[in-house]
Amino acid sequence: MASERADDDHPDGPDLVEQAFRQAAFSMSVFDIEQRYRRLNDVACQVMGVEEDVLLGQVFPYGVPADVEQLGMLAALRDVAETGKPTHYESFTRAPSGIREHAWNLELWPVRDASGEVCAVGMAAFDSSEQHWARQRLAVLDEAAVSIGTSLDLDRTAQELADLVVPRFADFASVDLLEAVMRGDEPAEAGPDGAVVLRRLAHAAGSAGAPAPALGPGATDTYPPYSPPARALRTGQPVLSRSGAPDFDHWMASAPERAQSLRGVVVTSLVAVPLIARGTTLGVAVLLRTRPDVFNEDDFVLARELASRAALCVDNARRYTRERGTALALQESLLPRGPSRQSAVDVASRYLPTDSRAGVGGDWFDVIPLSGARVGLVVGDVVGHGIQASATMGRLRTAVQTLADVDLPPDELLAHLDDLVLRLAADDDSATGGGRAAVGATGATCLYAVYDPVSRELAVASAGHPPPVLVLPDGETKVVDVSVGPVLGVGGLPFETTEIQLPEGSLVALFTDGLVEAAAGDPDLGIALLARTLADGHSAHASLEDRCDRVLSALLPKNPGDDVALVLARTRALDAGHVRVWDLPADFEVVAEARRRAVAQLEQWGLEDAAFVTELVVSELVTNAIRYGADPIQLRLIHDRTLICEVSDGSSTSPHLRRARIFDEGGRGLLLVAQLTTSWGTRHTRTGKTIWAEQALD
């Protein structure tokens, strides 16, 4: 009170207080307990945009729409007047002048009269816009760290950048990339005239006043050298422009569709920011504002930081695109090319690589023609993804083809394949010093089946792979009860062959686990769904291609998380009219009779042109079986797409081809057979072996 009296006693005391109130560097206002304006200093009047006399006696907020922020400030004024307690309030409003948005820190306190009653409320407003925008910029950067680059898809990454900056930072944004980046390649230098061709990946518009996009996603446009995007790409620095600037207007005039998109729109500022990652310029992001406040230096820094982070994500997606393209090209070169013509089965197949971040997997399938009109059906899965998995898949597929070519039964083939995987793992481990997972360390699964159209027998063996599903001609479905062996690369454990008899027209479905695990996550439920889907589409005349599409549609989501391989094979049978069998005694006198019977059978089939070669083949193979083999001896002719001659005996000793010397009297038989036929070989059976030779038919 002493200090107050001293001020009052001083001749200039009240004037000094008044001057201090009016000339304060921050906004100060006084309201009565009914929230009417009682006093305002000069800064408060400037903020409100009116003179003090206009506001005095008016209820807050006067002349300003009562939005959420204004209603919040009004509630704070009432609370101080009613409780007599000071409070702090933060507000974000647009000034009536429309120049720019402001953030305010408000301090409100009660003003008491001599009796101690609250008679007014004082309010001091401090402009905290710069701090507010700084926090907003940090929030944008924090959000960019988690919202940009959530996938390795170029389109999605570009759209994430556009969606982040609109509308909180810009009213319109577009992201364009160089054409080479879209293919995963290194971008080339700009042309001699400085013009660049860019492809639109994404754009976003924030409000009704924002311009419409001149280009749709996927469209390309040529940017002249004076345009802001071309200059940003050339200099590697952000470029600022706006409506009315020579470069901006010239650029708009050069592209009528771009000028049309900006008709009626005033671009207050535009910034083109290059997307640069690891020293490589990938494209450009264009941000523009139609709001009154233009891009400032702090906005430049934020735009450059956002573009830098987005460019790293785009470059990661580009590198992934390139690696995935390489893996796909490798895998496609290793998988079968088109359907294989077989007499034993009709086949349709599908292979779908995954779009997941892990990359292309190691799924594969094969349809291998075997001797005796038989066919080998293979499906396998290398654990892991990427180029390494594709390369491993190619090695295993080649090994299966080689082992199948020597007519090994399914269980023996898988045993040899298991040994091969172990050797490959040891070689890889030795080459890398044990520092990298070898090819067999993560394992691979494989299912190998052999179908014989003569006996209609299907022999199946599995190395950790799901069993095949059957659909019989009457529509009944069943899962083959296969004894599943260990995955390839474990070593030391046996494999078993399961043999079943199939009626002609049976459907055999082989698949990888990506098909049956995609829908429900449970392989058993997936196999049951596969069986139901195949049964629902069952028809004697149903296309295998359509049934493949039906299965994929029913079991797979839009973006499967793993590779999928599917093989559908409908079995055929070679009846007695295409197969003739003779049991022969172990007597050399029967050789002539065997030739006579073979020629007579060829005449019935209308294959007289093949008689000469067939006589020679029958004579050589039967003679060798009598001389070097054992009972029982059997001759079989098969009329298929080719003419197959087979001689079986009870000995497991295999013949070998050798070249006789000039004065040798023998040793030329198998050489002649090999030269006169398209192929020949030996396959072992439970009771001995079979020597076969195949002739092409016109």
Side-chain angles (χ1 to χ4, degrees):
M1 297 297 294
S3 61
E4 292 179 4
R5 286 195 298 271
D7 291 337
D8 292 339
D9 293 340
H10 195 283
D12 295 328
D15 292 337
L16 287 174
V17 173
E18 178 68 17
Q19 293 298 326
F21 176 79
R22 290 198 171 277
Q23 297 178 18
F26 50 89
S27 171
M28 294 187 66
S29 306
V30 179
F31 302 85
D32 62 20
I33 59 175
E34 295 180 354
Q35 292 79 50
R36 292 190 295 260
Y37 285 99
R38 305 302 299 175
R39 292 294 304 276
L40 296 93
N41 70 350
D42 295 342
V43 175
C45 292
Q46 293 174 6
V47 170
M48 298 298 297
V50 296
E51 296 294 332
E52 183 182 24
D53 295 342
V54 177
L55 292 174
L56 293 179
Q58 302 294 334
V59 177
F60 177 88
Y62 173 76
V64 178
D67 59 12
V68 175
E69 291 293 341
Q70 302 295 345
L71 293 176
M73 294 171 61
L74 180 60
L77 286 170
R78 289 174 177 171
D79 185 66
V80 174
E82 293 173 359
T83 64
K85 297 179 181 180
T87 188
H88 175 81
Y89 186 81
E90 293 185 2
S91 175
F92 184 76
T93 61
R94 181 181 292 276
S97 61
I99 295 177
R100 66 166 297 172
E101 296 169 326
H102 280 265
W104 303 94
N105 282 327
L106 305 179
E107 297 292 341
L108 296 93
W109 67 92
V111 179
R112 303 179 185 273
D113 58 15
S115 64
E117 295 294 327
V118 177
C119 61
V121 176
M123 181 174 69
F126 301 92
D127 190 348
S128 59
S129 300
E130 295 303 323
Q131 295 87 340
H132 170 79
W133 288 115
R135 290 196 300 269
Q136 289 295 311
R137 285 190 287 267
L138 288 176
V140 172
L141 289 177
D142 289 341
E143 187 175 345
V146 297
S147 64
I148 300 178
T150 59
S151 71
L152 290 173
D153 180 77
L154 282 171
D155 295 329
R156 183 174 176 182
T157 301
Q159 191 63 53
E160 287 169 348
L161 172 60
D163 292 340
L164 175 66
V165 299
V166 175
R168 61 197 305 176
F169 183 67
D171 297 310
F172 179 85
S174 64
V175 180
D176 300 342
L177 296 185
L178 294 166
E179 191 69 28
V181 177
M182 302 294 299
R183 302 188 301 268
D185 299 333
E186 294 289 337
E189 297 291 336
D193 59 352
V196 292
V197 177
L198 297 173
R199 182 177 293 275
R200 173 66 49 86
L201 255 70
H203 55 245
S207 64
L215 297 176
T220 59
D221 194 10
T222 300
Y223 291 78
Y226 52 80
S227 64
R231 290 164 53 199
L233 288 174
R234 185 172 62 253
T235 62
Q237 297 295 328
V239 174
L240 179 66
S241 187
R242 60 181 175 82
S243 294
D247 64 333
F248 185 88
D249 291 344
H250 190 192
W251 176 34
M252 291 298 104
S254 66
E257 66 280 358
R258 201 178 299 276
Q260 178 64 31
S261 68
L262 290 176
R263 188 178 300 277
V265 177
V266 177
V267 178
T268 58
S269 58
L270 174 149
V271 59
V273 192
L275 301 175
I276 303 174
R278 303 178 179 95
T280 300
T281 302
L282 307 172
V284 63
V286 176
L287 316 176
L288 61 84
R289 286 180 176 177
T290 57
R291 65 188 72 171
D293 48 320
V294 300
F295 289 112
N296 56 28
E297 189 62 33
D298 292 333
D299 295 330
F300 261 49
V301 174
L302 176 60
R304 186 184 294 110
E305 181 65 24
L306 288 175
S308 176
R309 296 191 180 191
L312 284 175
C313 297
V314 169
D315 192 48
N316 290 338
R318 176 185 70 88
R319 292 167 181 260
Y320 168 75
T321 300
R322 181 175 58 188
E323 179 177 339
R324 185 172 185 272
T326 302
L328 278 175
L330 173 62
Q331 194 160 43
E332 289 175 0
S333 68
L334 297 173
L335 289 173
R337 295 179 178 269
S340 175
R341 296 185 62 190
Q342 302 286 337
S343 296
V345 291
D346 293 323
V347 176
S349 60
R350 293 290 187 274
Y351 170 73
L352 295 180
T354 179
D355 289 331
S356 71
R357 180 176 298 192
V360 178
D363 293 17
W364 92 92
F365 66 92
D366 213 341
V367 180
I368 306 172
L370 302 175
S371 64
R374 299 170 306 137
V375 63
L377 303 174
V378 191
V379 65
D381 183 5
V382 176
V383 178
H385 294 81
I387 294 179
Q388 181 65 32
S390 296
T392 301
M393 177 271 289
R395 299 163 84 176
L396 295 184
R397 178 173 180 249
T398 301
V400 170
Q401 289 178 333
T402 303
L403 294 171
D405 192 52
V406 296
D407 278 315
L408 292 177
D411 56 339
E412 292 186 24
L413 183 143
L414 292 182
H416 284 282
L417 194 62
D418 186 42
D419 293 338
L420 173 64
V421 171
L422 289 173
R423 287 197 299 272
L424 293 176
D427 292 343
D428 287 350
D429 189 57
S430 175
T432 59
R436 178 174 61 85
V439 62
T442 54
T445 66
C446 182
L447 185 138
Y448 181 63
V450 176
Y451 175 69
D452 188 341
V454 177
S455 64
R456 293 183 287 105
E457 183 178 85
L458 181 71
V460 185
S462 171
H465 202 86
V469 173
L470 299 179
V471 181
L472 301 181
D474 60 2
E476 179 188 357
T477 61
K478 60 187 299 185
V479 179
V480 180
D481 187 13
V482 177
S483 177
V484 180
V487 298
L488 300 174
V490 174
L493 298 176
F495 300 95
E496 296 183 18
T497 297
T498 300
E499 297 178 347
I500 56 175
Q501 200 86 12
L502 297 179
E504 183 178 7
S506 299
L507 185 67
V508 183
L510 289 78
F511 50 89
T512 55
D513 56 2
L515 178 68
V516 295
E517 292 180 356
D522 186 339
D524 293 334
L525 295 178
I527 292 175
L529 177 59
L530 171 61
R532 289 197 303 271
T533 305
L534 291 173
D536 291 342
H538 173 71
S539 171
H541 304 289
S543 166
L544 292 180
E545 299 291 340
D546 292 341
R547 299 183 78 166
C548 280
D549 295 336
R550 177 191 289 266
V551 167
L552 297 183
S553 176
L555 273 72
L556 293 183
K558 182 177 180 181
N559 297 309
D562 195 6
D563 289 35
V564 172
L566 171 66
V567 178
L568 297 183
R570 181 182 287 125
T571 63
R572 293 180 177 179
L574 291 177
D575 54 25
H578 290 79
V579 181
R580 191 61 190 275
V581 181
W582 298 278
D583 293 323
L584 304 176
D587 187 347
F588 287 106
E589 293 182 358
V590 81
V591 176
E593 179 64 17
R595 290 198 301 265
R596 186 190 63 79
R597 293 179 180 179
V599 171
Q601 185 61 54
L602 293 183
E603 291 176 352
Q604 293 183 19
W605 286 337
L607 302 178
E608 293 86 352
D609 292 343
F612 174 77
V613 175
T614 303
E615 280 190 282
L616 188 148
V617 171
V618 169
S619 179
E620 176 63 25
L621 298 186
V622 172
T623 300
N624 284 345
I626 296 172
R627 179 173 297 169
Y628 304 109
D631 287 333
I633 299 174
Q634 187 180 80
L635 170 64
R636 184 169 73 165
L637 292 182
I638 301 175
H639 180 199
D640 189 29
R641 297 181 186 275
T642 60
L643 178 62
I644 303 170
C645 177
E646 297 181 344
V647 175
S648 304
D649 68 79
S651 171
S652 60
T653 304
S654 299
H656 65 277
L657 181 68
R658 70 182 182 89
R659 297 184 180 275
R661 292 172 295 183
I662 296 177
F663 298 106
D664 287 349
E665 294 184 1
R668 296 179 176 85
L670 284 180
L671 179 61
L672 290 175
V673 170
Q675 290 179 337
L676 294 174
T677 58
T678 56
S679 59
W680 76 280
T682 304
R683 68 172 179 270
H684 291 275
T685 63
R686 297 188 187 91
T687 59
K689 67 175 182 298
T690 297
I691 313 297
W692 58 269
E694 187 173 314
Q695 302 176 55
L697 299 176
D698 294 336

